[in-house]
Amino acid sequence: MTRTNTTPEAYGVLLLRVSLGVMFIAHSVVLKWMTFTLAGTAQYFESLGLPAFLAYATFWAEFIGGVLLVLGVQSRWVSLALVPVLAGATWVHLGNGWVFSAPGGGWEYPLYLIVLSVAQALLGDGAHALSPSRSLPFGRPAPSLGRAAA
C-alpha cells in the first residue's frame, strides 16, 4: 500500500526520507565499496580494534537501509536501526575534532545524521511510502501529518 498523503508536511518528510536514504546508499557504495573497497574498509575496521566482518555488516546495513528509506518501507524503524551504525561512526571520528574536513574526518556529520534519523523516526514516512510504519510505542498513536482542524 502506498501512502498518498499530499500535504506540504508529508512532502517535507518525504524529502527528508529520500535524502537520508540516498546519503546512506552513497556512503556505502561510493565510500566503502568504490573508494576504499570492502576489503580496505575491513582492514580499517581491524585497525580500530573492530572485527573485520563489521565492515561488511555496516556496508549492507547502510545500503539496504538506504534503499528501504528511499522506497518508504517501514521508515521509522529503518532509520532507528541505522542509529547504531552512525553512533559507531561518531565514536570513530570523536578524536579527530569538529570539522569533517579535518584529517580522519570530524564527528559532527555522523552526529548530525543521528539527529536526522531520529527526526525521521519521529515524523514517520511522509508521502508515497510503499509500506508505512507502525506508530512508535509512546502510549498513543502518532498524529497524522494532515492539516489541523480549524
Side-chain angles (χ1 to χ4, degrees):
M1 178 176 122
T2 301
R3 177 179 287 172
T4 56
N5 186 342
T6 58
T7 65
E9 295 86 356
Y11 279 105
V13 177
L14 167 69
L15 181 62
L16 172 63
R17 187 187 84 220
V18 171
S19 61
L20 195 56
V22 168
M23 185 286 310
F24 276 114
I25 293 167
H27 200 261
S28 64
V29 172
V30 175
L31 185 68
K32 290 181 177 66
W33 184 35
M34 296 172 68
T35 303
F36 297 126
T37 74
L38 291 179
T41 302
Q43 288 176 340
Y44 178 67
F45 273 53
E46 286 182 321
S47 77
L48 298 170
L50 299 169
F53 80 88
L54 278 181
Y56 298 95
T58 300
F59 168 82
W60 286 111
E62 288 181 348
F63 180 73
I64 293 169
V67 170
L68 292 174
L69 284 170
V70 168
L71 296 175
V73 176
Q74 299 295 314
S75 302
R76 290 181 189 270
W77 304 105
V78 171
S79 63
L80 287 177
L82 290 168
V83 167
V85 172
L86 295 168
T90 303
W91 169 76
V92 165
H93 296 289
L94 202 55
N96 301 339
W98 168 256
V99 182
F100 203 69
S101 61
W107 53 266
E108 84 288 349
Y109 186 61
L111 182 63
Y112 178 66
L113 293 173
I114 289 172
V115 171
L116 293 180
S117 294
V118 171
Q120 183 72 63
L122 293 171
L123 291 169
D125 305 284
H128 307 294
L130 291 181
S131 177
S133 303
R134 294 178 302 226
S135 296
L136 294 174
F138 293 144
R140 60 181 186 174
S144 68
L145 288 176
R147 300 240 182 243

mmCIF file of all heavy atoms in Angstrom, residues 73-126:
data_model
loop_
_atom_site.group_PDB
_atom_site.id
_atom_site.type_symbol
_atom_site.label_atom_id
_atom_site.label_comp_id
_atom_site.label_asym_id
_atom_site.label_seq_id
_atom_site.Cartn_x
_atom_site.Cartn_y
_atom_site.Cartn_z
ATOM 1 N N VAL A 73 9.804 2.072 3.073
ATOM 2 C CA VAL A 73 9.445 0.795 3.679
ATOM 3 C C VAL A 73 9.809 0.848 5.163
ATOM 4 O O VAL A 73 10.985 0.854 5.518
ATOM 5 C CB VAL A 73 10.171 -0.381 2.982
ATOM 6 C CG1 VAL A 73 9.861 -1.698 3.673
ATOM 7 C CG2 VAL A 73 9.803 -0.432 1.501
ATOM 8 N N GLN A 74 8.787 0.967 6.008
ATOM 9 C CA GLN A 74 8.980 0.988 7.460
ATOM 10 C C GLN A 74 10.070 1.992 7.865
ATOM 11 O O GLN A 74 10.988 1.694 8.634
ATOM 12 C CB GLN A 74 9.311 -0.413 7.974
ATOM 13 C CG GLN A 74 8.234 -1.438 7.723
ATOM 14 C CD GLN A 74 6.954 -1.135 8.492
ATOM 15 O OE1 GLN A 74 6.994 -0.817 9.669
ATOM 16 N NE2 GLN A 74 5.821 -1.215 7.807
ATOM 17 N N SER A 75 9.932 3.209 7.375
ATOM 18 C CA SER A 75 10.973 4.232 7.524
ATOM 19 C C SER A 75 11.301 4.567 8.971
ATOM 20 O O SER A 75 12.461 4.839 9.300
ATOM 21 C CB SER A 75 10.558 5.510 6.806
ATOM 22 O OG SER A 75 10.313 5.239 5.457
ATOM 23 N N ARG A 76 10.296 4.588 9.840
ATOM 24 C CA ARG A 76 10.577 4.872 11.257
ATOM 25 C C ARG A 76 11.583 3.880 11.814
ATOM 26 O O ARG A 76 12.559 4.248 12.461
ATOM 27 C CB ARG A 76 9.307 4.759 12.097
ATOM 28 C CG ARG A 76 8.286 5.826 11.888
ATOM 29 C CD ARG A 76 7.106 5.549 12.832
ATOM 30 N NE ARG A 76 5.974 6.396 12.562
ATOM 31 C CZ ARG A 76 5.774 7.583 13.115
ATOM 32 N NH1 ARG A 76 6.651 8.065 13.960
ATOM 33 N NH2 ARG A 76 4.708 8.286 12.812
ATOM 34 N N TRP A 77 11.331 2.615 11.572
ATOM 35 C CA TRP A 77 12.135 1.552 12.166
ATOM 36 C C TRP A 77 13.475 1.404 11.474
ATOM 37 O O TRP A 77 14.485 1.115 12.115
ATOM 38 C CB TRP A 77 11.331 0.252 12.177
ATOM 39 C CG TRP A 77 10.043 0.480 12.895
ATOM 40 C CD1 TRP A 77 8.792 0.608 12.336
ATOM 41 C CD2 TRP A 77 9.868 0.721 14.289
ATOM 42 N NE1 TRP A 77 7.864 0.895 13.305
ATOM 43 C CE2 TRP A 77 8.493 0.970 14.514
ATOM 44 C CE3 TRP A 77 10.736 0.753 15.364
ATOM 45 C CZ2 TRP A 77 7.980 1.234 15.781
ATOM 46 C CZ3 TRP A 77 10.222 1.020 16.631
ATOM 47 C CH2 TRP A 77 8.869 1.252 16.817
ATOM 48 N N VAL A 78 13.513 1.621 10.164
ATOM 49 C CA VAL A 78 14.778 1.554 9.435
ATOM 50 C C VAL A 78 15.713 2.664 9.911
ATOM 51 O O VAL A 78 16.893 2.423 10.173
ATOM 52 C CB VAL A 78 14.546 1.641 7.911
ATOM 53 C CG1 VAL A 78 15.854 1.806 7.158
ATOM 54 C CG2 VAL A 78 13.795 0.408 7.414
ATOM 55 N N SER A 79 15.186 3.880 10.039
ATOM 56 C CA SER A 79 16.042 4.992 10.479
ATOM 57 C C SER A 79 16.558 4.757 11.898
ATOM 58 O O SER A 79 17.717 5.067 12.195
ATOM 59 C CB SER A 79 15.313 6.325 10.363
ATOM 60 O OG SER A 79 14.184 6.374 11.193
ATOM 61 N N LEU A 80 15.741 4.186 12.764
ATOM 62 C CA LEU A 80 16.215 3.869 14.117
ATOM 63 C C LEU A 80 17.247 2.741 14.104
ATOM 64 O O LEU A 80 18.204 2.760 14.885
ATOM 65 C CB LEU A 80 15.034 3.493 15.014
ATOM 66 C CG LEU A 80 14.132 4.643 15.447
ATOM 67 C CD1 LEU A 80 12.954 4.116 16.268
ATOM 68 C CD2 LEU A 80 14.897 5.707 16.222
ATOM 69 N N ALA A 81 17.058 1.769 13.216
ATOM 70 C CA ALA A 81 18.005 0.654 13.130
ATOM 71 C C ALA A 81 19.383 1.118 12.654
ATOM 72 O O ALA A 81 20.398 0.491 12.969
ATOM 73 C CB ALA A 81 17.459 -0.426 12.196
ATOM 74 N N LEU A 82 19.434 2.223 11.910
ATOM 75 C CA LEU A 82 20.710 2.730 11.413
ATOM 76 C C LEU A 82 21.438 3.622 12.423
ATOM 77 O O LEU A 82 22.610 3.940 12.231
ATOM 78 C CB LEU A 82 20.491 3.482 10.098
ATOM 79 C CG LEU A 82 20.121 2.568 8.921
ATOM 80 C CD1 LEU A 82 19.638 3.393 7.743
ATOM 81 C CD2 LEU A 82 21.291 1.683 8.531
ATOM 82 N N VAL A 83 20.787 4.002 13.506
ATOM 83 C CA VAL A 83 21.422 4.857 14.518
ATOM 84 C C VAL A 83 22.672 4.201 15.116
ATOM 85 O O VAL A 83 23.694 4.888 15.286
ATOM 86 C CB VAL A 83 20.407 5.296 15.598
ATOM 87 C CG1 VAL A 83 21.110 5.907 16.807
ATOM 88 C CG2 VAL A 83 19.414 6.289 15.007
ATOM 89 N N PRO A 84 22.689 2.901 15.446
ATOM 90 C CA PRO A 84 23.935 2.324 15.972
ATOM 91 C C PRO A 84 25.107 2.407 14.987
ATOM 92 O O PRO A 84 26.254 2.592 15.409
ATOM 93 C CB PRO A 84 23.566 0.860 16.260
ATOM 94 C CG PRO A 84 22.091 0.889 16.475
ATOM 95 C CD PRO A 84 21.573 1.949 15.539
ATOM 96 N N VAL A 85 24.841 2.289 13.693
ATOM 97 C CA VAL A 85 25.905 2.448 12.692
ATOM 98 C C VAL A 85 26.471 3.859 12.776
ATOM 99 O O VAL A 85 27.695 4.065 12.771
ATOM 100 C CB VAL A 85 25.358 2.154 11.271
ATOM 101 C CG1 VAL A 85 26.388 2.497 10.208
ATOM 102 C CG2 VAL A 85 24.909 0.705 11.147
ATOM 103 N N LEU A 86 25.584 4.836 12.871
ATOM 104 C CA LEU A 86 26.013 6.238 12.962
ATOM 105 C C LEU A 86 26.702 6.530 14.288
ATOM 106 O O LEU A 86 27.651 7.321 14.337
ATOM 107 C CB LEU A 86 24.811 7.160 12.771
ATOM 108 C CG LEU A 86 24.163 7.088 11.389
ATOM 109 C CD1 LEU A 86 22.823 7.802 11.390
ATOM 110 C CD2 LEU A 86 25.090 7.650 10.335
ATOM 111 N N ALA A 87 26.244 5.901 15.367
ATOM 112 C CA ALA A 87 26.910 6.076 16.664
ATOM 113 C C ALA A 87 28.337 5.530 16.594
ATOM 114 O O ALA A 87 29.268 6.142 17.143
ATOM 115 C CB ALA A 87 26.112 5.385 17.766
ATOM 116 N N GLY A 88 28.510 4.407 15.913
ATOM 117 C CA GLY A 88 29.859 3.865 15.712
ATOM 118 C C GLY A 88 30.733 4.811 14.911
ATOM 119 O O GLY A 88 31.905 5.022 15.234
ATOM 120 N N ALA A 89 30.161 5.420 13.866
ATOM 121 C CA ALA A 89 30.925 6.380 13.061
ATOM 122 C C ALA A 89 31.286 7.611 13.889
ATOM 123 O O ALA A 89 32.390 8.155 13.761
ATOM 124 C CB ALA A 89 30.123 6.778 11.827
ATOM 125 N N THR A 90 30.367 8.040 14.756
ATOM 126 C CA THR A 90 30.654 9.182 15.621
ATOM 127 C C THR A 90 31.811 8.838 16.561
ATOM 128 O O THR A 90 32.739 9.628 16.738
ATOM 129 C CB THR A 90 29.403 9.575 16.431
ATOM 130 O OG1 THR A 90 28.328 9.848 15.518
ATOM 131 C CG2 THR A 90 29.655 10.794 17.294
ATOM 132 N N TRP A 91 31.774 7.645 17.135
ATOM 133 C CA TRP A 91 32.835 7.182 18.029
ATOM 134 C C TRP A 91 34.179 7.144 17.309
ATOM 135 O O TRP A 91 35.197 7.598 17.842
ATOM 136 C CB TRP A 91 32.478 5.806 18.581
ATOM 137 C CG TRP A 91 33.604 5.138 19.296
ATOM 138 C CD1 TRP A 91 34.073 5.429 20.547
ATOM 139 C CD2 TRP A 91 34.429 4.087 18.791
ATOM 140 N NE1 TRP A 91 35.139 4.608 20.848
ATOM 141 C CE2 TRP A 91 35.368 3.769 19.792
ATOM 142 C CE3 TRP A 91 34.455 3.360 17.597
ATOM 143 C CZ2 TRP A 91 36.333 2.784 19.626
ATOM 144 C CZ3 TRP A 91 35.410 2.368 17.438
ATOM 145 C CH2 TRP A 91 36.331 2.091 18.448
ATOM 146 N N VAL A 92 34.194 6.627 16.075
ATOM 147 C CA VAL A 92 35.437 6.519 15.312
ATOM 148 C C VAL A 92 36.054 7.891 15.073
ATOM 149 O O VAL A 92 37.269 8.062 15.158
ATOM 150 C CB VAL A 92 35.176 5.801 13.963
ATOM 151 C CG1 VAL A 92 36.338 5.985 12.998
ATOM 152 C CG2 VAL A 92 34.896 4.330 14.199
ATOM 153 N N HIS A 93 35.227 8.891 14.800
ATOM 154 C CA HIS A 93 35.721 10.219 14.446
ATOM 155 C C HIS A 93 35.837 11.171 15.644
ATOM 156 O O HIS A 93 36.245 12.316 15.466
ATOM 157 C CB HIS A 93 34.809 10.845 13.388
ATOM 158 C CG HIS A 93 34.817 10.088 12.096
ATOM 159 N ND1 HIS A 93 35.901 10.073 11.252
ATOM 160 C CD2 HIS A 93 33.881 9.302 11.509
ATOM 161 C CE1 HIS A 93 35.633 9.324 10.200
ATOM 162 N NE2 HIS A 93 34.412 8.834 10.336
ATOM 163 N N LEU A 94 35.485 10.714 16.830
ATOM 164 C CA LEU A 94 35.439 11.578 18.006
ATOM 165 C C LEU A 94 36.760 12.287 18.294
ATOM 166 O O LEU A 94 36.777 13.472 18.601
ATOM 167 C CB LEU A 94 34.991 10.756 19.226
ATOM 168 C CG LEU A 94 34.405 11.509 20.395
ATOM 169 C CD1 LEU A 94 33.228 12.367 19.963
ATOM 170 C CD2 LEU A 94 33.965 10.528 21.467
ATOM 171 N N GLY A 95 37.851 11.586 18.159
ATOM 172 C CA GLY A 95 39.154 12.178 18.461
ATOM 173 C C GLY A 95 39.697 13.093 17.382
ATOM 174 O O GLY A 95 40.750 13.711 17.568
ATOM 175 N N ASN A 96 38.996 13.192 16.258
ATOM 176 C CA ASN A 96 39.509 13.978 15.136
ATOM 177 C C ASN A 96 39.095 15.439 15.168
ATOM 178 O O ASN A 96 39.508 16.211 14.321
ATOM 179 C CB ASN A 96 39.042 13.370 13.805
ATOM 180 C CG ASN A 96 39.510 11.945 13.639
ATOM 181 O OD1 ASN A 96 40.459 11.522 14.277
ATOM 182 N ND2 ASN A 96 38.847 11.200 12.805
ATOM 183 N N GLY A 97 38.239 15.794 16.098
ATOM 184 C CA GLY A 97 37.786 17.175 16.169
ATOM 185 C C GLY A 97 36.444 17.377 15.500
ATOM 186 O O GLY A 97 35.777 16.434 15.067
ATOM 187 N N TRP A 98 36.064 18.631 15.417
ATOM 188 C CA TRP A 98 34.717 19.012 14.973
ATOM 189 C C TRP A 98 34.543 18.942 13.469
ATOM 190 O O TRP A 98 33.565 18.427 12.969
ATOM 191 C CB TRP A 98 34.436 20.426 15.485
ATOM 192 C CG TRP A 98 33.230 21.060 14.899
ATOM 193 C CD1 TRP A 98 33.209 22.025 13.945
ATOM 194 C CD2 TRP A 98 31.861 20.780 15.194
ATOM 195 N NE1 TRP A 98 31.918 22.373 13.633
ATOM 196 C CE2 TRP A 98 31.071 21.621 14.398
ATOM 197 C CE3 TRP A 98 31.218 19.900 16.058
ATOM 198 C CZ2 TRP A 98 29.686 21.619 14.432
ATOM 199 C CZ3 TRP A 98 29.833 19.900 16.097
ATOM 200 C CH2 TRP A 98 29.089 20.749 15.296
ATOM 201 N N VAL A 99 35.430 19.473 12.687
ATOM 202 C CA VAL A 99 35.212 19.643 11.257
ATOM 203 C C VAL A 99 35.461 18.339 10.504
ATOM 204 O O VAL A 99 36.507 17.715 10.665
ATOM 205 C CB VAL A 99 36.116 20.759 10.694
ATOM 206 C CG1 VAL A 99 35.863 20.991 9.218
ATOM 207 C CG2 VAL A 99 35.888 22.049 11.467
ATOM 208 N N PHE A 100 34.498 17.926 9.669
ATOM 209 C CA PHE A 100 34.628 16.671 8.952
ATOM 210 C C PHE A 100 35.739 16.710 7.912
ATOM 211 O O PHE A 100 36.229 15.682 7.478
ATOM 212 C CB PHE A 100 33.290 16.280 8.300
ATOM 213 C CG PHE A 100 33.168 14.812 8.037
ATOM 214 C CD1 PHE A 100 33.053 13.919 9.080
ATOM 215 C CD2 PHE A 100 33.190 14.322 6.751
ATOM 216 C CE1 PHE A 100 32.949 12.564 8.856
ATOM 217 C CE2 PHE A 100 33.078 12.968 6.513
ATOM 218 C CZ PHE A 100 32.961 12.091 7.570
ATOM 219 N N SER A 101 36.174 17.909 7.517
ATOM 220 C CA SER A 101 37.287 18.017 6.574
ATOM 221 C C SER A 101 38.640 17.876 7.276
ATOM 222 O O SER A 101 39.678 17.883 6.625
ATOM 223 C CB SER A 101 37.219 19.345 5.810
ATOM 224 O OG SER A 101 37.305 20.422 6.714
ATOM 225 N N ALA A 102 38.648 17.732 8.597
ATOM 226 C CA ALA A 102 39.882 17.525 9.349
ATOM 227 C C ALA A 102 40.477 16.164 8.971
ATOM 228 O O ALA A 102 39.763 15.275 8.506
ATOM 229 C CB ALA A 102 39.600 17.567 10.850
ATOM 230 N N PRO A 103 41.785 16.001 9.161
ATOM 231 C CA PRO A 103 42.377 14.682 8.874
ATOM 232 C C PRO A 103 41.637 13.580 9.633
ATOM 233 O O PRO A 103 41.446 13.667 10.837
ATOM 234 C CB PRO A 103 43.818 14.837 9.372
ATOM 235 C CG PRO A 103 44.086 16.307 9.311
ATOM 236 C CD PRO A 103 42.762 16.969 9.625
ATOM 237 N N GLY A 104 41.172 12.586 8.925
ATOM 238 C CA GLY A 104 40.426 11.493 9.527
ATOM 239 C C GLY A 104 38.944 11.787 9.679
ATOM 240 O O GLY A 104 38.183 10.921 10.080
ATOM 241 N N GLY A 105 38.518 12.995 9.358
ATOM 242 C CA GLY A 105 37.093 13.348 9.447
ATOM 243 C C GLY A 105 36.673 13.670 10.865
ATOM 244 O O GLY A 105 37.168 13.093 11.820
ATOM 245 N N GLY A 106 35.768 14.592 11.002
ATOM 246 C CA GLY A 106 35.263 15.000 12.316
ATOM 247 C C GLY A 106 34.025 14.226 12.718
ATOM 248 O O GLY A 106 33.509 13.401 11.969
ATOM 249 N N TRP A 107 33.523 14.523 13.902
ATOM 250 C CA TRP A 107 32.398 13.771 14.455
ATOM 251 C C TRP A 107 31.058 14.439 14.227
ATOM 252 O O TRP A 107 30.011 13.847 14.482
ATOM 253 C CB TRP A 107 32.607 13.523 15.947
ATOM 254 C CG TRP A 107 32.885 14.773 16.735
ATOM 255 C CD1 TRP A 107 34.110 15.272 17.056
ATOM 256 C CD2 TRP A 107 31.934 15.683 17.287
ATOM 257 N NE1 TRP A 107 33.975 16.432 17.772
ATOM 258 C CE2 TRP A 107 32.630 16.716 17.936
ATOM 259 C CE3 TRP A 107 30.539 15.727 17.307
ATOM 260 C CZ2 TRP A 107 32.018 17.771 18.579
ATOM 261 C CZ3 TRP A 107 29.915 16.794 17.960
ATOM 262 C CH2 TRP A 107 30.645 17.785 18.583
ATOM 263 N N GLU A 108 31.032 15.685 13.731
ATOM 264 C CA GLU A 108 29.756 16.400 13.633
ATOM 265 C C GLU A 108 28.822 15.821 12.574
ATOM 266 O O GLU A 108 27.613 15.825 12.754
ATOM 267 C CB GLU A 108 29.987 17.901 13.393
ATOM 268 C CG GLU A 108 30.219 18.320 11.970
ATOM 269 C CD GLU A 108 31.571 17.921 11.390
ATOM 270 O OE1 GLU A 108 32.461 17.489 12.138
ATOM 271 O OE2 GLU A 108 31.735 18.042 10.170
ATOM 272 N N TYR A 109 29.358 15.331 11.460
ATOM 273 C CA TYR A 109 28.497 14.821 10.393
ATOM 274 C C TYR A 109 27.754 13.548 10.817
ATOM 275 O O TYR A 109 26.536 13.479 10.674
ATOM 276 C CB TYR A 109 29.304 14.610 9.116
ATOM 277 C CG TYR A 109 28.454 14.213 7.940
ATOM 278 C CD1 TYR A 109 27.451 15.053 7.454
ATOM 279 C CD2 TYR A 109 28.645 12.996 7.296
ATOM 280 C CE1 TYR A 109 26.669 14.693 6.372
ATOM 281 C CE2 TYR A 109 27.875 12.639 6.213
ATOM 282 C CZ TYR A 109 26.884 13.485 5.756
ATOM 283 O OH TYR A 109 26.112 13.124 4.697
ATOM 284 N N PRO A 110 28.441 12.538 11.359
ATOM 285 C CA PRO A 110 27.670 11.373 11.813
ATOM 286 C C PRO A 110 26.687 11.708 12.938
ATOM 287 O O PRO A 110 25.592 11.156 12.984
ATOM 288 C CB PRO A 110 28.726 10.357 12.260
ATOM 289 C CG PRO A 110 30.031 11.034 12.196
ATOM 290 C CD PRO A 110 29.883 12.308 11.455
ATOM 291 N N LEU A 111 27.055 12.646 13.812
ATOM 292 C CA LEU A 111 26.122 13.049 14.866
ATOM 293 C C LEU A 111 24.896 13.738 14.261
ATOM 294 O O LEU A 111 23.760 13.499 14.683
ATOM 295 C CB LEU A 111 26.813 13.961 15.878
ATOM 296 C CG LEU A 111 25.939 14.400 17.051
ATOM 297 C CD1 LEU A 111 25.507 13.194 17.887
ATOM 298 C CD2 LEU A 111 26.682 15.399 17.913
ATOM 299 N N TYR A 112 25.111 14.582 13.274
ATOM 300 C CA TYR A 112 24.008 15.244 12.575
ATOM 301 C C TYR A 112 23.090 14.211 11.907
ATOM 302 O O TYR A 112 21.869 14.333 11.945
ATOM 303 C CB TYR A 112 24.574 16.222 11.542
ATOM 304 C CG TYR A 112 23.525 16.934 10.733
ATOM 305 C CD1 TYR A 112 22.651 17.834 11.322
ATOM 306 C CD2 TYR A 112 23.427 16.714 9.371
ATOM 307 C CE1 TYR A 112 21.692 18.495 10.575
ATOM 308 C CE2 TYR A 112 22.472 17.367 8.609
ATOM 309 C CZ TYR A 112 21.608 18.261 9.217
ATOM 310 O OH TYR A 112 20.665 18.905 8.468
ATOM 311 N N LEU A 113 23.683 13.170 11.331
ATOM 312 C CA LEU A 113 22.883 12.119 10.703
ATOM 313 C C LEU A 113 22.081 11.332 11.742
ATOM 314 O O LEU A 113 20.986 10.848 11.440
ATOM 315 C CB LEU A 113 23.767 11.199 9.874
ATOM 316 C CG LEU A 113 24.393 11.868 8.642
ATOM 317 C CD1 LEU A 113 25.388 10.926 7.982
ATOM 318 C CD2 LEU A 113 23.326 12.322 7.667
ATOM 319 N N ILE A 114 22.593 11.206 12.959
ATOM 320 C CA ILE A 114 21.813 10.598 14.036
ATOM 321 C C ILE A 114 20.580 11.449 14.308
ATOM 322 O O ILE A 114 19.464 10.934 14.427
ATOM 323 C CB ILE A 114 22.660 10.421 15.322
ATOM 324 C CG1 ILE A 114 23.701 9.330 15.137
ATOM 325 C CG2 ILE A 114 21.769 10.107 16.522
ATOM 326 C CD1 ILE A 114 24.696 9.208 16.280
ATOM 327 N N VAL A 115 20.776 12.767 14.402
ATOM 328 C CA VAL A 115 19.650 13.674 14.642
ATOM 329 C C VAL A 115 18.615 13.544 13.518
ATOM 330 O O VAL A 115 17.409 13.456 13.774
ATOM 331 C CB VAL A 115 20.142 15.131 14.787
ATOM 332 C CG1 VAL A 115 18.984 16.106 14.818
ATOM 333 C CG2 VAL A 115 21.000 15.272 16.039
ATOM 334 N N LEU A 116 19.070 13.514 12.264
ATOM 335 C CA LEU A 116 18.148 13.363 11.141
ATOM 336 C C LEU A 116 17.413 12.021 11.184
ATOM 337 O O LEU A 116 16.214 11.954 10.887
ATOM 338 C CB LEU A 116 18.889 13.503 9.808
ATOM 339 C CG LEU A 116 19.462 14.870 9.480
ATOM 340 C CD1 LEU A 116 20.161 14.842 8.120
ATOM 341 C CD2 LEU A 116 18.387 15.943 9.507
ATOM 342 N N SER A 117 18.113 10.972 11.550
ATOM 343 C CA SER A 117 17.480 9.649 11.625
ATOM 344 C C SER A 117 16.427 9.600 12.722
ATOM 345 O O SER A 117 15.352 9.016 12.536
ATOM 346 C CB SER A 117 18.540 8.570 11.856
ATOM 347 O OG SER A 117 19.387 8.469 10.735
ATOM 348 N N VAL A 118 16.714 10.199 13.864
ATOM 349 C CA VAL A 118 15.726 10.245 14.946
ATOM 350 C C VAL A 118 14.534 11.103 14.524
ATOM 351 O O VAL A 118 13.376 10.747 14.779
ATOM 352 C CB VAL A 118 16.368 10.743 16.257
ATOM 353 C CG1 VAL A 118 15.323 11.008 17.329
ATOM 354 C CG2 VAL A 118 17.397 9.723 16.760
ATOM 355 N N ALA A 119 14.797 12.227 13.851
ATOM 356 C CA ALA A 119 13.699 13.063 13.350
ATOM 357 C C ALA A 119 12.831 12.275 12.377
ATOM 358 O O ALA A 119 11.595 12.353 12.419
ATOM 359 C CB ALA A 119 14.254 14.317 12.679
ATOM 360 N N GLN A 120 13.450 11.478 11.511
ATOM 361 C CA GLN A 120 12.689 10.650 10.573
ATOM 362 C C GLN A 120 11.800 9.673 11.335
ATOM 363 O O GLN A 120 10.632 9.479 10.992
ATOM 364 C CB GLN A 120 13.635 9.878 9.648
ATOM 365 C CG GLN A 120 12.926 9.053 8.597
ATOM 366 C CD GLN A 120 12.305 9.923 7.537
ATOM 367 O OE1 GLN A 120 12.997 10.630 6.828
ATOM 368 N NE2 GLN A 120 10.992 9.874 7.407
ATOM 369 N N ALA A 121 12.343 9.070 12.361
ATOM 370 C CA ALA A 121 11.562 8.117 13.153
ATOM 371 C C ALA A 121 10.378 8.809 13.827
ATOM 372 O O ALA A 121 9.282 8.253 13.897
ATOM 373 C CB ALA A 121 12.453 7.451 14.194
ATOM 374 N N LEU A 122 10.589 10.012 14.318
ATOM 375 C CA LEU A 122 9.510 10.734 14.988
ATOM 376 C C LEU A 122 8.458 11.244 14.011
ATOM 377 O O LEU A 122 7.269 11.259 14.328
ATOM 378 C CB LEU A 122 10.087 11.901 15.791
ATOM 379 C CG LEU A 122 10.959 11.511 16.984
ATOM 380 C CD1 LEU A 122 11.638 12.746 17.556
ATOM 381 C CD2 LEU A 122 10.158 10.778 18.033
ATOM 382 N N LEU A 123 8.883 11.660 12.828
ATOM 383 C CA LEU A 123 7.962 12.225 11.844
ATOM 384 C C LEU A 123 7.193 11.168 11.059
ATOM 385 O O LEU A 123 6.092 11.423 10.590
ATOM 386 C CB LEU A 123 8.726 13.129 10.867
ATOM 387 C CG LEU A 123 9.272 14.412 11.465
ATOM 388 C CD1 LEU A 123 10.220 15.081 10.478
ATOM 389 C CD2 LEU A 123 8.137 15.341 11.860
ATOM 390 N N GLY A 124 7.773 10.004 10.874
ATOM 391 C CA GLY A 124 7.105 8.958 10.111
ATOM 392 C C GLY A 124 7.595 8.903 8.678
ATOM 393 O O GLY A 124 8.694 9.326 8.368
ATOM 394 N N ASP A 125 6.744 8.399 7.807
ATOM 395 C CA ASP A 125 7.136 8.065 6.443
ATOM 396 C C ASP A 125 7.017 9.195 5.444
ATOM 397 O O ASP A 125 7.735 9.229 4.459
ATOM 398 C CB ASP A 125 6.289 6.890 5.948
ATOM 399 C CG ASP A 125 6.380 5.710 6.874
ATOM 400 O OD1 ASP A 125 7.412 5.021 6.851
ATOM 401 O OD2 ASP A 125 5.423 5.487 7.635
ATOM 402 N N GLY A 126 6.057 10.077 5.623
ATOM 403 C CA GLY A 126 5.809 11.108 4.631
ATOM 404 C C GLY A 126 4.997 10.564 3.462
ATOM 405 O O GLY A 126 4.404 9.495 3.531
#
